[in-house]
Structures are given as C-alpha cells and as structure tokens.
Amino acid sequence: MKPDPPVLRRWTVSRDQDHAEWNEDASRAEAAGGSFGWRAFIVVADGVATMPFGGAWARALVEAADPTWTSPAGLESGVQSARERFDPLEAFRATSDFVLERLWSERGAAATLLVADVTSAGRHAVCHLAIVGDCLFLMSDGDQLVSFPRSKASELTNRTNAVRTKMTQLSVESHTYSVRSGTILAMASDAMGAWLLRQGEGDGPGRVHTWLSTATESDLPNLDDDLTLVLLEVPRSSWIRALVGRLRNFARQDS
Amino acid sequence: MQHQVFISHATAEADRADEICGRLEADGIRCWIAKRDCPPGADWVEGIPGAIRRADLVLFLLSPEAQLSPWVDREVRWALRTERPTLPVLLGDTSLSERLEFLIGTYQTSRIQQPPSAEQLSELVDDVRTLLEDRRRAESLVSHVDEEGAPRVEDPFELRVTSARPAYFILLVDQSASMNRRIHGKGELRLRESVAGVVNDLLHQLLRASRRPEGYRNYFDVSVFGYGSGSDAQNVTSLLPDGVDRVSSGELLEKTIRVDEIEEVQQLEDGTTTTVLVKRPIWVDPTPGHGRTVMAAAFRRASDLADAWIAEHRDSLPPVILNISDGRWIDENPMHAVRSLQERVTSLGPALVFNCQLVPDVSGPADELVFPSSPPQGVDSRTTQLYFFSSVLPQSMRAEARARGIDVNEDSRGLLYNAPAGRLVDFIQVGTRTNI
C-alpha cells in the first residue's frame, strides 16, 4: 500500500493586519509520498524588522533552502550562495532612495531561519532540523511537549542571532529527532513559538496538543507580531490504518 | 453604604462641612465626614486613611484655619499619595498658601462664600458630579479593556508601532536669547545649533526606522515647535518646513529644507576605516532668538496638538512631549499647562512630558540631574517643580536609559537638569524609544 503523505497546515498573519503584504515572515511546506514512504520539507524564516530588507531576505532564504540546509555545513554553503544572489537594491530600484541605500550598506538584512526535513521510517519518522535564531520546533503527542532549541517561552528573546546578509559566522543549532506516528510537529516563528510554549507552561501539554489538533487559521492569537505556524501530523503507519479501517468495517456490518 | 466623597475640613469649619455634606447627600452623593463617620473612641489614625483611600473624590474645605491645620495637611498629603482625585474648595476670600499651591495648586478649584448662597452650593454639587463622572468613565474604560480579554498594558511603549498605531512626538524647543550662548569646549557651536542638530538627527532616525523597500510607513508623527524666539511672549511656532503642525514619517523626506552632504568615517569589514560622503537631511535650522522662555504657552500649544492627534488616533501610543530649554520659565508658571497636557490620554495611557534643561558649560556632574527618582534637594522651588511635572519613565524607556549606562529605577522621571549639551542625545533617545 502506497503511504499517504502527511497533511500539512501552514498559516501566517501580518502584525499590521491591514497590510498582509507587509508580513516579514516567509515559509514553505511541501510533502510527497512514494514507494519509499513519504517526505516533508518545511522552512520558516522571520525577517528582522529593524532592517529594511528583512522580509525580502526571509523570502529569499525560504526560496533557496533545500534539505541539505539541515546540516550546519550545508546551511553555511547554501546561505553563502543565497547571499551572492540577493540584490535588493536592484529588485527595489523603482522605490529606492539614499535612505534605503544607506540602510542597506550599513546594516544589510537579517532573518531567523528554521529548516526541517521529515521522512517516514517504518512506524516512525525522522526529523532533521537546523535553526538559526528565534524560531521554534515543537513536538506534541498529548503527553509530552518537546521543543527545540528553547524550552521556555521567556528564552525566545535572542534578537541578535540571525542569518545576515553581511558575512558573519552562522550560529546554527541542529538536531535529529525520531518521531512516533500520531505526533504533531509545529514549526513557528518567534512570537507564535513563545505563545505555544506559554500555553504549555500554563495549561499543560494536553491542552497544547488539543489546540494543535483542532486549530484553524482563525484561532491564531493576536500577538503584535508577524506570525507563522506550520503543522505536520506524522501519519500512522499503513498497518495501523488498515487495522483501523477493518475495525470500522466490522462495526458497520455489525450495526 | 460606601461613600463617594471624603470631606476634609478644619474644626472651625465643622458647621460648613455639615452643610455641604447635607447638600451633597440630598443630591444622592454619599459622603464621609469625620464627626459623623468616625465615632467617638474610634481610632482616627486608622479610620481616616482608609476613608480617603476608598473615596472617589476628596473635597478639601480650605479656609485660613484649614491651611494651618496639621490634620488637613496630613489628609492632603495622603490623598496625593493614594492618588485620589481632589477638589479644593476655597472658602470666602481664602487664597492658597504657598505650601498648598505647591501641593495641589494644579487642581481645578471651586470657591464659595461664607455663608454660601444656594446657587454656589448647587454649582459645587455640579462640580462634584462632573469629577465623579470623569472617574466613572475612566474606570469603565479600564474594565471594558479587561472584559475583552486584552492584556493589560503596563507600558504601552512595549507595543510595536504600526501604521494603525503610530507614535507621536512633540518637541518643544526653547528659542529664547540665552540659547545663543556658546557651548564650552565646542568652539563656535551654540546651544541652539546643538539642539537643532539633535532634532534633525531624531527626524532622520524616525525616517530611517520607517523605511521599508516599498517606501515609507507612517509609524511616527512628529511636531517641532519653537518658543521664545520673538518679542511676543505667547509666540509658539512650528519649526517644520512650511510651518506645518505635524508631519508623519511617511512624509518626512518630502519636508526637508535641504539635504547636506557631510564626511563620515566608516569602519570596513576588515577593520580599516574610510571617509565617505553621506547625505544628511535637514528639517530645522537654528534660528537666533531674542525672546524669553515662555514655557507655559508652549505646553498649551502642545495640548492643542495632542488633542488634534488623539482625536484621530484614540488607540495609539500616548503622545510624548519633549521640552528642551536652557533655562526655566519666565513669568507664568507652566504647571497648570503641564498638568493639563498630562491629562491627554489615548486608550493606552496618558501623554508623557519630559523636560530637559541644558547648560552651555560643563560645570561638573555633581550639579547634573539625569532622570532623578526623588525630588532634588537644596535647589530652588522651580527645579523641584520641574521634577514634579516630568512624567515617570515607563519600563521600556528605563531599559533604554540603562543600556546607555544611566542608573534609573521605577520612580525615575523624564527630567534632565543642568545637563551638558551632549546629554541631549540620551534624553531624546530614551524619550523616543519605541518598539519597531
């Protein structure tokens, strides 16, 4: 039986709700199934607002990212290529002036970044993850809430660590997780991640799991920031789905 | 039944207090009066503070005797300490003593003759009703916010500015004759030139903070008014090009009077430095002044500007008024104008007023007050008043001050006094700190 790819839910909200186009978060989420199983690739980037091209740089990173970026070396090399291609003054030539040019030459642009490559592996899935700055990865199975790279909402305040267009050493935090079927993975920009952690700290992991299972875009909180959230529920393996299907058939015949 | 009004009076006015109490209660306004509500044998020291704290309004009946009464004095101080709304009622020809003028002189007062006419008592009841109604409105505003489940905003300046929730800065710049003085150790540089430079830098900073690839966002509104430049004592004029009252950050670049090119030393990535020509937009030129420091008129103008802006931005960050002068006021005490300005509120809080008094000479740090947290000692009363009518710094601005190496605490006020011109940058950066 060919496995179904996992269902992905991806939402984003601009902090300036009258201007969705001003959202400086960017994201990408894709999943495919095949004879090998399934694979999902997720990227979330959050442009630093005090740098005028933060949103454009976040979009450029999301577009350029590939699964090799989940290793520090792959990320370093991929970001370097993205830097070389990124020419915002050319892209925004029509609206440029001396203020924008000087800001670009002085500051460049910066964005936080999360890259996740999730592949099925029998009854489990494997998630390779790389994060720079305040993005958050979270796993919830109803009993436990595991988060990376921060475990407390109050820790999501590292405003300086980001992927910059100016040459700087990347500070990458990477990890590989084995994920049980039925687990929900959440990948979020900083404000959304901090909000989820705060819910867990206040109401416990069960409450967060319920929220992640049932949330729709309209449930996103209003947090005075651009928000991005990508959710992936690791599908149950095919034999469990088959068993559940048979049980349902029995139940139907019985009634 | 919970009282609404605490009546403070001297023993000599006990009958008058009874009369006023009876008139207010006849109108349905429940009062607390010591003779009746603090029975013989009860501990006054326990009863009176609680009664003041629970009151929606404290009425002070002020006669010459009352102004000498230590009990009335304690009640005044307790009402101020517990931040109770107050209504001083002057009896007969009584005028406020210097002490009470200092403590409660900024509040609206009522006056009644001895004995009062029925008409005066009715007017007093109307005044009390108005003040109680103001308080009810303020409380309903707060509870309305709570009901909606919105987080209580301790410091509105923690919120990020958006085009729908911009910040508004009003700069009041002293242009009196004394601003022509040269700054010690700075060659030909005069105070007025230094201030104009800092104002231009601030506007440039707001312009840059509003810049996005597609254009400028209206994150800030700003007004710059000069006072004391001419012989007309009330002359307060906009210093922005075309004399506009205010300009938004989205329009700032169009409103420059010129763009200068200046040499700037820049550090390269390899650690070496290079000199480059950079453009510096100019909005305000230093105008030589020959008038006097008419601060009260400037604050009144700021109130008008704040009113007009708040009418369009009720849910925005409260306006911030930065008053930059090299001296103290001449003629009219600005206290009433400042208090009135501080009563301008958006749904996020009251307007903040910060004051900076510059000196041309660096006379030593001992004389300098930088965001003080208690009334200055051993200075003249106008300096103390400057302290009292400077707003307390919100948490986010305190953090900005600390980041600049300035020691502040939660009582620190937005006052710079006897400060060298170089401090002005700190003052401006702390007072205009926002979250982008």
Side-chain angles (χ1 to χ4, degrees):
Chain A
M1 182 184 293
K2 185 180 172 183
D4 294 331
V7 175
L8 287 164
R9 290 174 285 164
R10 179 169 68 101
W11 304 310
T12 189
V13 176
S14 169
R15 86 168 145 125
D16 221 317
Q17 292 180 1
D18 297 335
H19 294 278
E21 74 279 12
W22 289 359
N23 191 336
E24 286 165 330
D25 281 3
S27 63
R28 195 172 121 207
E30 40 203 49
S35 55
F36 59 89
W38 57 265
R39 184 170 192 174
F41 182 60
I42 297 116
V43 193
V44 174
D46 179 354
V48 174
T50 50
M51 299 175 171
F53 294 113
W57 177 231
R59 289 190 290 278
L61 288 172
V62 163
E63 209 170 284
D66 65 42
T68 64
W69 287 31
T70 53
S71 77
L75 182 60
E76 189 82 53
S77 143
V79 163
Q80 183 51 33
S81 301
R83 278 182 187 132
E84 287 161 11
R85 287 195 301 273
F86 187 58
D87 185 1
L89 288 182
E90 178 59 28
F92 290 98
R93 195 171 41 189
T95 56
S96 185
D97 61 17
F98 72 90
V99 178
L100 192 65
E101 286 165 14
R102 191 168 169 202
L103 282 166
W104 170 244
S105 74
E106 281 176 3
R107 299 181 184 175
T112 62
L113 180 68
L114 177 154
V115 186
D117 179 26
V118 192
T119 50
S120 61
R123 296 179 193 178
H124 290 71
V126 174
C127 175
H128 298 285
L129 194 63
I131 294 179
V132 181
D134 277 352
C135 283
L136 190 79
F137 170 81
L138 203 133
M139 295 195 302
S140 169
D141 64 3
D143 297 324
Q144 274 196 83
L145 200 59
V146 174
S147 62
F148 180 82
R150 311 282 167 255
S151 56
K152 291 180 185 161
S154 59
E155 293 170 345
L156 275 167
T157 54
N158 181 356
R159 305 239 167 124
T160 53
N161 189 18
V163 181
R164 295 173 187 280
T165 52
K166 285 186 180 279
M167 294 288 286
T168 48
Q169 184 73 37
L170 282 181
S171 177
V172 186
E173 296 177 271
S174 60
H175 205 286
T176 297
Y177 287 101
S178 175
V179 188
R180 284 187 305 171
S181 59
T183 301
I184 299 176
L185 308 184
M187 285 130 290
S189 54
D190 57 350
M192 187 71 227
W195 184 84
L196 287 169
L197 287 177
R198 269 198 302 278
Q199 306 313 303
E201 289 160 12
D203 300 329
R207 185 72 177 270
V208 176
H209 192 75
T210 305
W211 191 90
L212 293 173
S213 307
T214 58
T216 63
E217 187 165 14
S218 62
D219 295 321
L220 290 184
N222 181 1
L223 294 177
D224 195 27
D225 201 349
D226 296 334
L227 302 181
T228 296
L229 178 64
V230 181
L231 297 175
L232 179 157
E233 184 167 353
V234 176
R236 296 181 191 283
S237 56
S238 54
W239 70 269
I240 291 181
R241 279 189 285 123
L243 182 63
V244 169
R246 281 185 189 179
L247 287 171
R248 279 187 185 142
N249 281 339
F250 277 132
R252 216 172 284 139
Q253 285 163 10
D254 219 27
S255 64
Chain B
M1 185 183 168
Q2 172 64 46
H3 62 275
Q4 295 168 275
V5 176
F6 179 100
I7 301 177
S8 167
H9 63 89
T11 310
E13 271 75 54
D15 290 345
R16 188 69 60 233
D18 280 344
E19 184 183 7
I20 290 170
C21 175
R23 180 68 182 78
L24 288 169
E25 293 194 335
D27 230 67
I29 300 169
R30 172 78 179 156
C31 300
W32 194 100
I33 189 163
K35 193 169 77 176
R36 180 188 69 191
D37 297 310
C38 199
D43 187 345
W44 285 38
V45 175
E46 280 190 8
I48 288 176
I52 291 176
R53 200 171 48 244
R54 289 191 298 276
D56 295 329
L57 179 70
V58 181
L59 206 71
F60 291 105
L61 303 186
L62 296 176
S63 62
E65 291 80 4
Q67 301 201 63
L68 294 172
S69 160
W71 274 106
V72 172
D73 191 70
R74 280 189 189 132
E75 287 164 3
V76 167
R77 283 184 286 130
W78 189 249
L80 292 174
R81 186 166 174 186
T82 53
E83 298 181 336
R84 295 296 82 194
T86 63
L87 177 62
V89 181
L90 298 166
L91 301 179
D93 298 329
T94 307
S95 56
L96 284 180
S97 64
E98 191 179 11
R99 177 177 174 76
L100 283 180
E101 174 71 42
F102 176 65
L103 288 171
I104 55 174
T106 59
Y107 292 95
Q108 169 199 334
T109 57
S110 293
R111 183 181 291 280
I112 57 174
Q113 295 307 315
Q114 296 260 54
S117 65
E119 191 182 337
Q120 285 176 329
L121 285 174
S122 291
E123 284 172 5
L124 180 61
V125 171
D126 286 345
D127 286 348
V128 169
R129 278 210 173 287
T130 303
L131 290 169
L132 290 173
E133 185 54 35
D134 283 351
R135 180 169 170 74
R136 259 195 296 276
R137 272 205 301 273
E139 281 180 344
S140 71
L141 185 64
V142 171
S143 59
H144 174 68
V145 169
D146 282 347
E147 279 166 17
E148 287 187 347
R152 286 291 299 276
V153 179
E154 297 290 335
D155 173 5
F157 294 89
E158 291 282 11
L159 297 173
R160 297 175 75 168
V161 293
T162 66
S163 54
R165 188 176 57 210
Y168 182 32
F169 304 116
I170 302 174
L171 279 82
L172 303 176
V173 179
D174 181 1
Q175 294 189 299
S176 61
S178 54
M179 291 293 280
N180 295 328
R181 286 177 295 172
R182 289 196 175 87
I183 299 171
H184 178 79
K186 294 281 183 182
E188 292 296 305
L189 189 68
R190 295 170 191 273
L191 275 175
R192 60 181 159 85
E193 291 160 345
S194 174
V195 171
V198 172
V199 170
N200 283 319
D201 286 347
L202 170 68
L203 298 182
H204 191 189
Q205 180 186 316
L206 299 181
L207 182 78
R208 284 159 59 94
S210 311
R211 189 61 164 107
R212 292 295 180 275
E214 73 286 352
Y216 292 89
R217 296 187 187 167
N218 291 330
Y219 283 165
F220 307 99
D221 289 313
V222 63
S223 297
V224 186
F225 274 73
Y227 59 92
S229 62
S231 52
D232 177 1
Q234 302 303 308
N235 190 22
V236 183
T237 52
S238 172
L239 302 183
L240 291 171
D242 305 328
V244 293
D245 276 0
R246 73 167 188 253
V247 64
S248 73
S249 50
E251 308 162 319
L252 265 174
L253 194 57
E254 301 158 20
K255 292 288 181 190
T256 53
I257 49 178
R258 65 179 183 279
V259 177
D260 289 344
E261 285 204 329
I262 56 168
E263 285 189 347
E264 193 177 270
V265 177
Q266 286 184 356
Q267 188 157 21
L268 301 176
E269 284 180 6
D270 63 6
T272 60
T273 57
T274 182
T275 303
V276 293
L277 274 180
V278 295
K279 289 187 167 134
R280 184 170 186 262
I282 301 294
W283 290 269
V284 174
D285 269 335
T287 312
H290 52 275
R292 298 190 297 177
T293 306
V294 287
M295 241 181 240
F299 282 123
R300 276 196 293 273
R301 187 75 181 93
S303 286
D304 294 340
L305 293 166
D307 282 342
W309 186 82
I310 290 170
E312 297 167 23
H313 302 90
R314 292 192 188 283
D315 296 323
S316 282
L317 306 179
V320 177
I321 297 88
L322 300 137
N323 173 40
I324 304 164
S325 168
D326 72 329
R328 288 166 296 183
W329 58 92
I330 301 293
D331 304 332
E332 186 185 347
N333 186 321
M335 190 183 288
H336 293 274
V338 175
R339 290 290 183 234
S340 170
L341 178 54
Q342 287 169 324
E343 286 166 7
R344 268 60 188 179
V345 295
T346 69
S347 64
L348 294 176
L352 300 180
V353 178
F354 301 145
N355 291 285
C356 172
Q357 192 251 3
L358 297 171
V359 288
D361 300 307
V362 184
S363 55
D367 298 336
E368 185 186 2
L369 290 175
V370 185
F371 305 131
S373 57
S374 59
Q377 303 294 316
V379 292
D380 83 18
S381 66
R382 284 191 297 184
T383 307
T384 310
Q385 287 182 60
L386 262 179
Y387 168 82
F388 278 111
F389 60 63
S390 297
S391 304
V392 172
L393 291 175
Q395 198 280 332
S396 55
M397 294 185 190
R398 293 199 301 272
E400 177 67 34
R402 285 193 193 102
R404 296 177 159 270
I406 302 168
D407 186 24
V408 288
N409 61 39
E410 57 187 30
D411 295 322
S412 292
R413 292 181 184 241
L415 170 66
L416 225 63
Y417 190 77
N418 255 355
R423 273 284 187 207
L424 186 55
V425 175
D426 288 330
F427 177 74
I428 294 283
Q429 292 301 320
V430 170
T432 58
R433 185 269 176 202
T434 46
N435 195 1
I436 304 289

